[in-house]
Amino acid sequence: MTISEQSPLLNGDSRHRRPRSFYQRSLALLKAEGEPSWLDSYRWFFFGSWLNLLLLLVPVAAAAHYLNWDAPLRFGFSFVAIIPLAKLLGDATEQMSLSLGQTLAGLLNATFGNAVEIIVGLVALFKGEVRIVQTSMLGSILSNILLVLGCSFLAAGIFKHESEFSVTAAQTLLMTLACITLVIPAAYHASKRVISPVKGDVVATMNSVLHTDLDEGGQRGLLIISRGTAILLLGVYVAYLIFQLKTHASLFNPPARKPREGEADESAQRVEEEEETPRMSVVAAGSTLLIVTIATSLVADYLVASIEETATRFNIPKAFIGLILLPIVANAAEHVTSVWMAMKDKMELTIGICVGSSIQIATFVVPLLVVIGWCSGHELTLFFDDFETVSFFVSVLLVNLLLQDGKSNYMEGLMLITLYLVIAMACTCPVVLHVLRKLTRLSPH
């Protein structure tokens, strides 16, 4: 094997090459030897998609915030400006992953795969918007496993009678475990709560943190359960990364499919598949990742600051903003990618995006925010509203049932989308939610 100066820096064969000093390696990394140049990297990153035109709204959102424009304008500009930033975060993470190898790529995706959700959650947490933190996290999970997965199944079913995919038991069981850990705090709260009458406006009641109160001992117990569970879930997620990337990595590789009649053999199919090549150097991707992360945190701050006034003025429940609006915006680019991969019959990748992202939020992002809230003095718990807990439970139940056979069709996609629309309609109708809560408090005769 001949080695040239253009061999990749990180993945090249260095057996016949004299060891370089730290200075030489650093200089080569900055010069992007064997990688796209800095200019080509930035050109592709900022001008590779028409969606990036929406980046012009980032300074507009900043001006609206600091000049104290009307709340709906501040909310709207920040809301739309997050869309291209979310896409750029995904692009930078993907480009770094292509050059760093499987292990580092897994850790990088674990950190930045849901960067927008983490940033929005942190900003809302430090502003004391606990309801926005909880609903946005749960909304991200529901949008991934219901809306995105449903649209992907539907899109694949239009072009193919039936699609096949591989899902490991570890993935479905881990999502089930995350669901159970959210049910337990709700059950504890139900057993310790002191019922208080609901007064005032229905929407204002929905936007409050709790509709029932706990005494001091009950609240302390809920915090202990939530924080202890968060630490355990973080440990389980680390074990899952090791399981996926190291000890049982073969389980997550898609099985070789036998060619059907009229199809080319397997080797020919592999040749036809597009090979992903890096479009950015590692250092350029890292610098853009840092820049876009800072910009996203600023825009998220503008967005969260305008939610309270916007929700009050237009009588919009915060549950609707957190469960429906924010997740769709934060995962817009990821949603398009998932559906597009399903249309190309790459169902393993689609499942990885939808289920994998949901697992990451449920077992990494939410527990991380609970621990950060613990350290910063914010009482964020794993107790979700009764309606939200039930919605999460039935969603995970339906998804697990549909994934068990390893096959999908357009009818299963319609089922997932229908459940998501039912949840969305419930969130947009405060009166229905209020009536449901009143009915659940009535003792059966």
Side-chain angles (χ1 to χ4, degrees):
M1 177 179 179
T2 59
I3 302 174
S4 67
E5 293 181 357
Q6 301 301 320
S7 298
L9 179 64
L10 296 179
N11 300 324
D13 189 352
S14 58
R15 288 175 295 179
H16 306 289
R17 185 185 303 172
R18 237 177 7 179
R20 294 181 175 184
S21 66
F22 176 78
Y23 172 76
Q24 290 174 326
R25 284 184 280 121
S26 301
L27 187 62
L29 189 63
L30 291 175
K31 288 182 177 180
E33 291 184 4
E35 298 179 302
S37 65
W38 284 75
L39 181 60
D40 291 338
S41 298
Y42 285 128
R43 183 188 294 120
W44 176 85
F45 187 74
F46 289 107
F47 301 103
S49 172
W50 287 101
L51 186 63
N52 292 345
L53 287 174
L54 293 178
L55 290 173
L56 296 174
L57 291 180
V58 173
V60 176
H65 176 76
Y66 290 108
L67 296 178
N68 199 25
W69 291 2
D70 200 29
L73 289 177
R74 288 185 277 126
F75 179 83
F77 287 136
S78 303
F79 186 82
V80 179
I82 278 191
I83 297 177
L85 292 173
K87 177 186 177 299
L88 292 180
L89 277 173
D91 290 343
T93 303
E94 180 184 6
Q95 291 302 310
M96 290 193 68
S97 299
L98 292 176
S99 303
L100 295 181
Q102 186 180 19
T103 302
L104 289 178
L107 294 176
L108 188 68
N109 284 316
T111 305
F112 290 96
N114 289 291
V116 176
E117 287 85 349
I118 295 175
I119 293 171
V120 172
L122 286 174
V123 171
L125 179 64
F126 292 142
K127 287 183 175 293
E129 295 283 356
V130 176
R131 284 293 292 154
I132 292 297
V133 177
Q134 292 181 317
T135 55
S136 64
M137 293 302 107
L138 183 59
S140 294
I141 298 174
L142 295 181
S143 67
N144 274 306
I145 63 176
L146 294 181
L147 179 62
V148 186
L149 191 59
C151 290
S152 300
F153 283 177
L154 180 61
I158 294 175
F159 295 95
K160 192 174 181 180
H161 180 72
E162 193 174 64
S163 300
E164 298 180 358
F165 51 86
S166 175
V167 177
T168 65
Q171 289 175 301
T172 55
L173 291 176
L174 190 55
M175 178 57 65
T176 304
L177 172 65
C179 177
I180 293 174
T181 57
L182 294 184
V183 172
I184 292 176
Y188 175 84
H189 182 274
S191 66
K192 300 293 184 179
R193 66 184 177 183
V194 178
I195 302 218
S196 58
V198 177
K199 298 180 181 179
D201 182 69
V202 174
V203 174
T205 301
M206 287 183 58
N207 288 340
S208 62
V209 177
L210 297 176
H211 300 195
T212 56
D213 299 323
L214 292 177
D215 56 24
E216 185 177 351
Q219 183 65 25
R220 189 182 302 111
L222 184 61
L223 285 172
I224 293 174
I225 292 174
S226 299
R227 291 165 179 174
T229 303
I231 295 174
L232 293 174
L233 284 177
L234 288 174
V236 169
Y237 184 72
V238 172
Y240 174 70
L241 285 180
I242 298 174
F243 182 86
Q244 182 181 25
L245 299 175
K246 285 291 185 182
T247 61
H248 293 70
S250 60
L251 296 179
F252 295 85
N253 295 326
R257 297 180 182 177
K258 297 181 180 180
R260 299 176 181 177
E261 293 184 4
E263 292 183 345
D265 59 1
E266 183 180 348
S267 60
Q269 289 181 1
R270 289 183 179 178
V271 172
E272 291 178 358
E273 291 184 358
E274 298 179 359
E275 294 184 359
E276 284 188 293
T277 56
R279 303 296 298 271
M280 301 180 68
S281 65
V282 175
V283 179
S287 63
T288 53
L289 184 62
L290 177 61
I291 293 171
V292 176
T293 300
I294 294 174
T296 305
S297 63
L298 293 175
V299 175
D301 181 66
Y302 309 151
L303 179 66
V304 173
S306 63
I307 286 178
E308 183 73 35
E309 187 177 347
T310 303
T312 302
R313 180 178 300 185
F314 293 98
N315 287 332
I316 303 176
K318 287 184 181 178
F320 176 74
I321 295 176
L323 281 173
I324 307 300
L325 294 184
L326 292 182
I328 290 178
V329 171
N331 297 313
E334 198 174 48
H335 294 179
V336 175
T337 300
S338 177
V339 175
W340 179 247
M341 290 299 103
M343 293 173 65
K344 296 172 68 175
D345 197 28
K346 296 184 178 181
M347 293 304 296
E348 280 82 11
L349 184 56
T350 296
I351 298 297
I353 292 174
C354 301
V355 178
S357 180
S358 299
I359 290 174
Q360 191 179 98
I361 294 173
T363 60
F364 174 69
V365 179
V366 175
L368 179 65
L369 291 175
V370 171
V371 173
I372 293 176
W374 183 9
C375 298
S376 61
H378 296 84
E379 295 186 352
L380 178 63
T381 70
L382 293 178
F383 164 65
F384 288 80
D385 186 85
D386 293 343
F387 167 76
E388 295 159 3
T389 303
V390 172
S391 298
F392 184 36
F393 180 81
V394 297
S395 299
V396 172
L397 177 63
L398 177 61
V399 171
N400 283 345
L401 291 175
L402 295 182
L403 293 180
Q404 280 181 353
D405 60 352
K407 299 178 181 179
S408 70
N409 51 59
Y410 74 89
M411 193 63 203
E412 293 182 350
L414 285 177
M415 294 179 188
L416 295 172
I417 295 174
T418 299
L419 179 56
Y420 185 80
L421 292 177
V422 169
I423 295 173
M425 285 191 298
C427 292
T428 57
C429 187
V431 176
V432 172
L433 292 181
H434 178 62
V435 171
L436 289 176
R437 289 195 183 94
K438 295 292 287 185
L439 291 176
T440 57
R441 293 172 184 169
L442 297 178
S443 300
H445 296 287

